[in-house]
Amino acid sequence: PPRYTAIVLSASPVTLTLPGVQVLARVQRITNVAELHAARLDALAHVTTPYCFYLDDDDELPADYLSVLDECAAQGLPLAYTNELVRRPGGDVLARAQPYSRASHRSDATFVHHLALMNTGAAQAAAALLPRGAYCTLMLLYYQLASGGAAHVDRIGYIWNKAGGIHTWPSMLVAQVASTAWAARNIAP
């Protein structure tokens, strides 16, 4: 059986297949940030593999994704994250993440971005502590998880097709600010 689950939310039926990875597809039309947050948390509750990650339906994984996932899992921590290749109309850019630092993560809520492999049990426990509403799931979840340890794996683990998407919604910026404030009040530094 697979060790990994890719959580994919999409407004259209998901036909993605990733050999060696279970694809947990949730078909739902998302119209606001609170719906996105709820859908991500609800989908996480249904993961049964030891590890999981979120994959946007318009993004991709590199050809060697199983090797990258194995290296992330080998870190033995609740959270391991990678570098990402950002696809933009003007050309691809490598976004290199930095080694984990709680202080750096505290000062930059998007410090952990794509690909972030989560220990499923730890992620489900962390998700149970998070509020519902207009929040940025990934910011809150990754910060909560990282309180148990996080590691950077210096490989490309995700291909982000950045043109358009929910990250461009003005309400997402508001949700990120709300998430940062909530984390500062409720998650230990």
Side-chain angles (χ1 to χ4, degrees):
R3 296 176 68 202
Y4 309 109
T5 294
I7 301 169
V8 181
L9 306 178
S10 178
S12 304
V14 176
T15 58
L16 176 68
T17 57
L18 295 167
V21 173
Q22 179 177 329
V23 176
L24 177 60
R26 293 295 178 145
V27 177
Q28 176 181 346
R29 183 151 179 73
I30 303 292
T31 60
N32 61 61
V33 174
E35 287 177 357
L36 174 63
H37 182 51
R40 282 181 166 161
L41 292 178
D42 293 344
L44 175 60
H46 293 280
V47 174
T48 58
T49 58
Y51 302 95
C52 61
F53 59 95
Y54 290 100
L55 175 62
D56 290 348
D57 67 342
D58 58 344
D59 293 338
E60 306 164 48
L61 298 179
D64 62 346
Y65 66 87
L66 278 177
S67 170
V68 174
L69 291 170
D70 287 343
E71 189 170 341
C72 289
Q75 302 304 306
L77 295 168
L79 181 67
Y81 59 98
T82 67
N83 304 324
E84 65 187 346
L85 187 66
V86 182
R87 290 222 165 113
R88 299 178 183 193
D92 296 350
V93 175
L94 173 63
R96 186 175 298 279
Q98 298 300 311
Y100 191 76
S101 152
R102 196 75 171 151
S104 295
H105 198 178
R106 174 70 80 182
S107 68
D108 176 5
T110 61
F111 185 80
V112 176
H113 206 236
H114 306 120
L115 170 87
L117 184 71
M118 302 174 284
N119 172 289
T120 299
Q124 290 169 338
L129 302 173
L130 301 181
R132 295 288 179 131
Y135 292 99
C136 180
T137 313
L138 306 184
M139 290 172 61
L140 290 177
L141 185 57
Y142 297 162
Y143 197 73
Q144 182 72 44
L145 270 175
S147 64
H152 170 239
V153 172
D154 193 15
R155 294 179 64 184
I156 296 172
Y158 199 95
I159 301 169
W160 183 22
N161 295 308
K162 192 172 180 178
I166 291 174
H167 72 276
T168 63
W169 293 0
S171 58
M172 182 53 81
L173 180 58
V174 174
Q176 290 174 343
V177 171
S179 298
T180 300
W182 190 92
R185 290 188 314 270
N186 297 285
I187 302 175

